[in-house]
Amino acid sequence: MTDLSEHSLATLAAELSAGGLRPSHSGPLLRSYYRMDAGSGSNDRRFPAELERLLRESIERRLASLAARHVASDGTAKFLIRMSDGRTVESVLMPGHRTDRAAGCLSSQVGCAMGCDFCATAKAGFERNLTSGEIVDQFLTLRREARAGGRRLQTVVFMGMGEPMLNLGNVRLAIERMASNDMGGLGCGRITVSTVGIVPGIEELAASGLNVNLAVSLHAPDDRTRARLLPTGRRFGVVEILGAADRYQAATGRPVSIQYCLLKGVNDSVEQADDLARLLKGRRMHVNLLRYNPIGPGLSGEVYEAVSGAAADCFLSRLRDNGVVAHLRQSRGPDIDAACGQLRQRA
Ligand code: SF4
């Protein structure tokens, strides 16, 4: 039988039924699986022997197992996670402001086809989509690691390897399980999906009714600079992407966040800050400015550099002076290759 992390209530009920077992075992079995994985003791329910075995095997035999763990001086932990076919992805656990909380970063694909020029994952190319169960197993791994460190996994973001909108079917299934009270227990409001601006994916996510948070990686206020950094910039323009983000916000009531990675001499000028502020005028979106973790030459061969602290502060002030809600996110775990794709590159 298929591993329990691959199942929703409906698919498990169908599989049980096809195997001559009672489909009504589906809910209690999944509840037991997630509760036992969360360390809530032993199973207090009795199932037929075949299902007891499935429960035990699903807990012992992971779809995703920990291949490497690197912990930075700031407490950020980066994991290399190996899937059952030997392929690896990266996940990150970041300590929260509260000492008992943590935030997790999940991958949605093995590698990535998007080819963003400043990203280490892009250099390795795309291998395959993760299944919904593999995504759920990453989440469960992060939850166990957080618990082992005395923290609760409070939020997750799809900002690891891959473009979630290009594997949206499996990402949606995984979100449903991570969010469900009977399974992961996280709730949709604690889950963020990040995209480089795949407009049809934004529309589909809005229509799904999942009501998760959306983050858009803009990285430039104009199509020309954007096309240099992100190949999607040639397919979807800034105005079109922000229009889709507006509709997402209207459909879900959730403010969209704009991710903007500052690159020295590329997208960090005062004029670009003003252009970004003009674009966001009248929109209830907030900007997260990111410090770049250098990766050496990008796909095009260009070597990007991080901006200085003073330049980042200047860009931030300019946005704020123009009425934009913006924050500068500290770069996490630079001493452990925390930029997406770096750890896997070196493994
Ligand atoms: S930044 Fe994200 S979307 Fe772009 S290549 Fe890297 S993993 Fe893919």
Side-chain angles (χ1 to χ4, degrees):
M1 289 180 82
T2 316
D3 195 281
L4 286 174
S5 59
E6 290 285 11
H7 276 299
S8 65
L9 269 180
T11 60
L12 182 58
E15 189 165 312
L16 294 179
S17 188
L21 292 156
R22 287 206 338 246
S24 58
H25 285 310
S26 153
L29 197 60
L30 284 175
R31 271 196 296 280
S32 293
Y33 172 60
Y34 283 88
R35 200 182 60 239
M36 287 167 76
D37 187 273
S40 309
S42 59
N43 186 24
D44 52 7
R45 239 193 113 113
R46 299 304 303 165
F47 296 105
E50 195 177 346
L51 298 186
E52 289 285 344
R53 194 170 57 247
L54 173 63
L55 185 57
R56 199 179 52 250
E57 283 177 2
S58 291
I59 287 173
E60 286 166 8
R61 173 199 63 204
R62 302 273 168 203
L63 292 176
S65 57
L66 207 57
R69 176 198 289 107
H70 293 238
V71 182
S73 50
D74 65 4
T76 299
K78 187 156 191 176
F79 307 104
L80 193 65
I81 296 188
R82 180 161 289 121
M83 302 302 159
S84 41
D85 65 356
R87 294 173 201 260
T88 53
V89 298
E90 296 179 359
S91 307
V92 181
L93 195 61
M94 294 156 285
H97 294 302
R98 283 182 51 170
T99 54
D100 59 345
R101 302 287 159 90
C105 177
L106 300 174
S107 292
S108 55
Q109 298 179 307
V110 183
C112 187
M114 298 313 298
C116 302
D117 203 28
F118 53 89
C119 170
T121 297
K123 293 203 265 187
F126 173 73
E127 293 184 30
R128 68 170 173 86
N129 283 331
L130 291 179
T131 67
S132 57
E134 288 171 333
I135 296 170
V136 167
D137 258 17
Q138 270 183 89
F139 160 72
L140 295 176
T141 301
L142 291 186
R143 193 171 71 169
R144 285 193 299 275
E145 289 290 327
R147 195 174 59 240
R151 292 177 185 269
R152 196 170 108 202
L153 183 60
Q154 180 82 350
T155 54
V156 296
V157 293
F158 281 91
M159 286 189 191
M161 295 169 65
E163 164 54 60
M165 298 304 185
L166 297 187
N167 186 19
L168 194 51
N170 289 336
V171 166
R172 281 175 55 182
L173 290 171
I175 288 172
E176 282 167 14
R177 287 172 225 155
M178 292 189 295
S180 161
N181 275 341
D182 284 338
M183 298 192 225
L186 207 54
C188 284
R190 295 200 174 129
I191 298 173
T192 299
V193 174
S194 175
T195 177
V196 289
I198 308 290
V199 170
I202 297 173
E203 310 280 12
E204 186 183 331
L205 190 62
S208 72
L210 279 177
N211 217 22
V212 292
N213 301 296
L214 177 70
V216 173
S217 295
L218 206 62
H219 302 319
D222 64 281
D223 290 340
R224 198 152 151 245
T225 311
R226 207 165 180 274
R228 174 180 166 194
L229 298 173
L230 305 107
T232 42
R234 285 176 220 126
R235 193 163 154 218
F236 302 108
V238 169
V239 170
E240 194 183 357
I241 292 169
L242 289 179
D246 286 339
R247 292 190 292 282
Y248 188 88
Q249 200 159 302
T252 61
R254 293 192 180 277
V256 173
S257 64
I258 302 295
Q259 311 293 309
Y260 195 105
C261 182
L262 287 165
L263 301 165
K264 188 174 171 187
V266 178
N267 62 1
D268 62 335
S269 71
V270 168
E271 293 74 28
Q272 284 162 316
D274 290 346
D275 288 345
L276 181 59
R278 254 191 305 279
L279 274 175
L280 298 181
K281 195 172 169 55
R283 293 185 149 107
R284 203 163 55 93
M285 296 175 184
H286 69 266
V287 175
N288 279 324
L289 296 176
L290 316 171
R291 303 290 298 278
Y292 176 61
N293 275 328
I295 59 156
L299 263 185
S300 67
E302 181 152 355
V303 178
Y304 296 97
E305 287 177 59
V307 298
S308 66
D313 286 341
C314 175
F315 198 94
L316 176 67
S317 305
R318 194 76 182 189
L319 287 179
R320 288 180 171 169
D321 290 348
N322 280 302
V324 177
V325 179
H327 295 94
L328 179 62
R329 278 217 334 240
Q330 292 313 312
S331 105
R332 297 294 200 128
D335 50 331
I336 53 159
D337 295 335
C340 171
Q342 281 183 305
L343 182 59
R344 182 166 170 261
Q345 234 176 23
R346 295 184 190 206

